[in-house]
Amino acid sequence: MLRFCFVFGLALSASALLGQTANPPRQASASMQDLEPNAEQLFALANQTRAKQGLSRLAWDQALAAAALHHCKRMAVEGPIEHRYSGELDLTERAGQAGAHFSLIEENIAVGPYPARIHEGWMESSGHRENLLNPNIDRVGIAVVAANGVLFAVADYARGVSALSQAQVEALFASMLRAKGLSILKDPTQVRAYCASTGRFSGADSPSFLMRWQNPDVSQLPPELQQRIASQHFREASVGSCPVQGVESGFTLYRVAVFLYDDDSPARPKPYYKP
């Protein structure tokens, strides 16, 4: 078993398990008749077992399945099974390169005579069982390759994250800020520049409060920002999104910056800086 959970800092510290979006992404899915029979059986057994435990059903994710197949073929060639072979990308990079979007990812691997026995083996191993029954995952991709009289199997489980453009991210946050009674400034040039930087604000018209952060979850405002809005009367806001910084993996994250302006404009107070 193998598990990756992205932990990030910058303007907040949290686990990627927080990246549970209100509307999980829809990945390209294969119909059940298109699935390789052994993979289909493992998929069915996983969902049957989760249902018995009162857990939600896993959706099939074709991108995860592609990543699993790439590694499964490598296992069949190598013989001894491993989560990563020399010169191979790690799980997060394999899945990201295959087109999966996720905030948490984990993997089970096995070699066995038939699917039911592989599933039993996973359920008999505490780590593999924990992966399969993780309540925080919502999708899976499975690959099975027959070689040397046995079956090699890989199951990649993940918590999906929506794939959004810069404009979509900014629109989502603007909508949430409007719901707090704030007007959104039309020109995001300065806030986008601040988002893309790592230093202090250096533009004109300093905001009363500003912050930037990285997170897989764009369904709600960060708690610190909500608290700040609730504690002081702000009238305007500006939102900017930019490429993620300091992350080299397949995790899907978003980097966002927000400026808040209060009623003292234009003689606004010295801005509060969040590192």
Side-chain angles (χ1 to χ4, degrees):
M1 55 83 70
L2 183 68
R3 174 177 297 170
F4 288 90
C5 179
F6 184 72
V7 180
F8 48 93
L10 295 182
L12 77 167
S13 296
S15 160
L17 292 176
L18 295 178
Q20 299 177 11
T21 58
N23 298 299
R26 293 184 178 181
Q27 298 283 358
S29 61
S31 65
M32 294 306 297
Q33 64 184 11
D34 293 330
L35 295 184
E36 191 275 333
N38 292 313
E40 180 181 355
Q41 188 173 349
L42 282 173
F43 178 54
L45 288 169
N47 276 324
Q48 290 169 14
T49 302
R50 286 177 64 88
K52 290 178 181 178
Q53 297 294 320
L55 297 171
S56 61
R57 178 181 178 82
L58 299 177
W60 181 264
D61 188 302
Q62 191 59 31
L64 290 175
L69 180 59
H70 184 276
H71 184 64
C72 198
K73 288 179 177 179
R74 182 72 181 267
M75 290 200 316
V77 171
E78 297 283 349
I81 62 174
E82 300 286 349
H83 286 288
R84 185 182 186 183
Y85 295 102
S86 176
E88 186 182 29
L89 298 176
D90 70 16
L91 173 57
T92 63
E93 294 171 313
R94 293 197 304 266
Q97 192 174 81
H101 296 276
F102 52 90
S103 59
L104 177 152
I105 190 166
E106 51 195 33
E107 180 176 81
N108 282 353
I109 59 176
V111 58
Y114 50 89
R117 183 65 193 102
I118 290 173
H119 179 74
E120 289 171 3
W122 283 342
M123 294 305 294
E124 291 166 357
S125 165
S126 61
H128 294 86
R129 177 187 175 90
E130 183 180 354
N131 279 351
L132 197 153
L133 298 181
N134 187 342
N136 294 302
I137 60 173
D138 59 10
R139 55 197 60 247
V140 65
I142 302 172
V144 180
V145 173
N148 302 317
V150 294
L151 298 178
F152 291 85
V154 176
D156 288 343
Y157 312 95
R159 178 72 193 186
V161 173
S162 297
L164 301 172
S165 67
Q166 178 189 44
Q168 288 174 317
V169 172
E170 291 177 353
L172 278 172
F173 277 88
S175 176
M176 289 185 284
L177 289 167
R178 287 192 188 96
K180 299 289 185 181
L182 297 168
S183 297
I184 307 300
L185 300 179
K186 292 183 179 181
D187 185 1
T189 302
Q190 288 195 95
V191 70
R192 284 178 178 172
Y194 177 71
C195 178
S197 72
T198 57
R200 289 174 171 266
F201 175 77
S202 59
D205 199 17
S206 297
S208 304
F209 173 83
L210 69 171
M211 70 179 295
R212 55 183 168 231
W213 70 100
Q214 294 184 173
N215 200 314
D217 185 8
V218 292
S219 66
Q220 57 185 346
L221 299 174
E224 181 178 349
L225 183 59
Q226 294 190 54
Q227 293 170 6
R228 176 63 60 154
I229 292 172
S231 66
Q232 184 176 346
H233 183 68
F234 296 100
R235 62 182 184 83
E236 293 178 326
S238 186
V239 182
S241 180
C242 61
V244 172
Q245 298 182 14
V247 179
E248 296 181 2
S249 72
F251 288 104
T252 299
L253 297 168
Y254 299 100
R255 184 176 175 90
V256 185
V258 168
F259 291 171
L260 299 178
Y261 300 95
D262 63 21
D263 279 336
D264 291 332
S265 176
R268 292 169 180 146
K270 183 178 179 180
Y272 170 90
Y273 289 100
K274 183 66 183 177

